[in-house]
Amino acid sequence: FEEALSNAQKAVEIFPKFGKAYINMAQAYASLGMKDKAKEAYKTAIEVDPVQKPLAEKALGELENAARDE
């Protein structure tokens, strides 16, 4: 997950509006237990990429629901 996170971070440095990279970053953060950073990355994906917005909103909702259930 650390390598995936690093790759996603590099991708958004090059392409700041690449929503899928933010989604990948969020998934890596979540897998590493960094829920707040994952939420931030999903929110950024929603803001910068309308194509990825539905996927990012769904994933963000699932992450927030999982946090409530813990």
Side-chain angles (χ1 to χ4, degrees):
F1 297 114
E2 290 168 4
E3 186 174 343
L5 177 59
S6 177
N7 289 339
Q9 289 169 329
K10 288 176 189 172
V12 299
E13 285 177 21
I14 298 167
F15 302 106
K17 295 191 181 219
F18 185 29
K20 186 64 176 167
Y22 287 102
I23 291 171
N24 291 343
M25 186 183 305
Q27 291 169 334
Y29 277 134
S31 296
L32 293 167
M34 304 165 110
K35 308 292 186 202
D36 289 336
K37 288 191 176 243
K39 290 177 188 178
E40 288 177 36
Y42 281 130
K43 289 176 184 177
T44 302
I46 292 165
E47 291 173 15
V48 301
D49 191 343
V51 172
Q52 298 298 327
K53 183 177 179 178
L55 178 62
E57 287 177 333
K58 181 179 183 215
L60 176 60
E62 290 171 356
L63 182 64
E64 290 174 338
N65 287 338
R68 280 192 285 268
D69 293 341
E70 290 179 352

